[in-house]
């Protein structure tokens, strides 16, 4: 079996990225793998993350022979993307990193918020992004394990008010910080982006990396846009299912 793309995440976070790609290119053949057994990745060490993702990708390559693997997880990407490319030089990897460049282009106050996993927030990669794209901005970061866990375990069955309530602590934090743009630095947040934007209010613009990641993925893979859609979408909750 060979597919166009395999999306990987620690759980449900990458689903909006796969959904967006299929909206643009319904002919793409996609598989989704969520390693929920080892969720949350954001509380693990860099070496633990590298080991887990390397093992996961080895199984994916053997079973699905993908044209590209989309690492639809900021924590996986900032910690393990270089190691994955070194371990599997014949495979195309597309990473997901915080949209600092986009936020900088939109911020008027030059104060940018970043909400992500603890691992992503404390990773040196964010400093590189800031130096390259937002060196005149202040970045105020929030590691929000609680909200990420809520999205993974409860958001799909929660009502809107429950989701808004879950966002309140983050909304209060960024309101006090006087930021005018907040970067969603964990793919899980895309599952409740509308509610996050509503909770944060009209004075804060919420941004993400989904369009940039999808655009790049389609650029690195040669897809016949006119072939008949097949779309074998497989959602796995445990990499041991591979």
């Amino acid at each position: 079996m060979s597919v166009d793309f395999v999306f990987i995440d620690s759980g449900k976070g990458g689903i909006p990225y796969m959904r967006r790609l299929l909206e643009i290119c319904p002919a793409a053949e996609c598989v989704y793998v969520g390693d929920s057994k080892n969720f949350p990745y954001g509380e693990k060490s860099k070496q633990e993350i590298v080991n887990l993702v390397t093992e996961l990708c080895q199984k994916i390559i053997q079973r699905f022979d993908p044209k590209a693997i989309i690492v639809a997880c900021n924590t996986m990407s900032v910690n393990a993307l270089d190691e994955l490319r070194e371990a599997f030089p014949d495979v195309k990897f597309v990473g997901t990193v915080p949209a600092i460049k986009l936020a900088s282009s939109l911020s008027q106050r030059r104060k940018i918020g970043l909400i992500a996993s603890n691992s992503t927030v404390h990773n040196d990669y964010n400093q590189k992004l800031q130096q390259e794209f937002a060196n005149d901005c202040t970045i105020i970061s929030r590691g929000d394990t609680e909200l990420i866990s809520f999205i993974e375990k409860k958001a799909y069955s929660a009502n809107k008010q429950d989701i808004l309530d879950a966002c309140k602590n983050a909304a209060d934090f960024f309101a006090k910080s006087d930021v005018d743009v907040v970067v969603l630095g964990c793919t899980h947040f895309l599952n409740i982006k509308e509610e996050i934007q509503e909770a944060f209010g009209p004075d804060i613009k919420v941004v993400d990396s989904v369009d940039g990641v999808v655009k790049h993925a389609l650029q690195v893979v040669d897809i016949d846009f006119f072939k008949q859609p097949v779309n074998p979408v497989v959602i796995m909750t445990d990499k041991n299912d591979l």
Side-chain angles (χ1 to χ4, degrees):
M1 179 180 186
S2 180
V3 300
D4 295 320
F5 300 102
V6 174
F7 291 75
I8 63 173
D9 182 65
S10 62
K12 303 180 181 72
I15 292 175
Y17 286 72
M18 182 177 67
R19 185 183 300 125
R20 179 61 175 151
L21 186 143
L22 288 171
E23 288 174 357
I24 297 173
C25 183
E29 298 173 5
C30 300
V31 168
Y32 185 89
V33 179
D35 186 17
S36 60
K37 177 183 177 181
N38 291 298
F39 177 89
Y41 270 54
E43 302 304 304
K44 302 183 188 303
S45 70
K46 175 180 174 63
Q47 194 57 55
E48 286 177 316
I49 294 168
V50 169
N51 291 344
L52 286 169
V53 181
T54 301
E55 179 187 354
L56 176 61
C57 288
Q58 180 67 61
K59 292 183 176 182
I60 285 170
I61 293 165
Q62 291 175 348
R63 178 162 178 179
F64 297 112
D65 185 27
K67 293 179 181 176
I69 295 176
I70 300 179
V71 186
C73 172
N74 289 267
T75 299
M76 290 180 177
S77 295
V78 300
N79 283 285
L81 196 56
D82 290 342
E83 287 80 358
L84 290 174
R85 287 170 173 157
E86 182 176 351
F88 309 106
D90 296 330
V91 178
K92 296 175 181 178
F93 287 93
V94 177
T96 304
V97 298
I100 300 297
K101 181 179 180 179
L102 175 58
S104 178
S105 71
L106 297 173
S107 178
Q108 298 297 314
R109 299 178 194 151
R110 312 315 288 161
K111 287 186 177 182
I112 297 171
L114 169 64
I115 183 169
S117 71
N118 285 322
S119 178
T120 298
V121 160
H122 297 299
N123 194 281
D124 292 341
Y125 194 86
N126 293 317
Q127 295 180 6
K128 296 178 183 178
L129 291 174
Q130 182 177 6
Q131 291 171 1
E132 187 172 358
F133 301 117
N135 59 5
D136 64 335
C137 296
T138 300
I139 296 182
I140 299 166
S141 300
R142 175 182 174 85
D144 204 324
T145 302
E146 184 176 345
L147 183 55
I148 295 170
S149 181
F150 171 85
I151 297 168
E152 176 68 19
K153 299 176 181 179
K154 298 180 181 179
Y156 280 82
S157 60
N159 60 45
K160 181 177 180 179
Q161 189 57 52
D162 288 339
I163 296 174
L164 291 173
D165 290 344
C167 298
K168 187 178 186 306
N169 288 338
D172 291 344
F173 174 84
F174 287 117
K176 293 175 183 177
S177 302
D178 196 36
V179 302
D180 58 354
V181 182
V182 171
V183 178
L184 302 183
C186 173
T187 57
H188 275 76
F189 297 137
L190 270 293
N191 289 288
I192 59 165
K193 181 180 178 180
E194 292 183 3
E195 289 84 357
I196 290 176
Q197 181 64 79
E198 182 174 340
F200 284 16
D203 294 333
I204 296 177
K205 173 67 175 176
V206 173
V207 300
D208 58 72
S209 61
V210 64
D211 284 336
V213 170
V214 168
K215 179 180 178 180
H216 182 50
L218 292 172
Q219 287 173 340
V220 302
V221 171
D222 183 20
I223 292 182
D224 180 0
F225 280 77
F226 300 100
K227 70 180 180 181
Q228 291 296 315
V230 179
N231 304 341
V233 177
V234 181
I235 297 179
M236 300 181 180
T237 60
D238 186 344
K239 68 168 178 265
N240 292 325
D241 292 338
L242 294 176

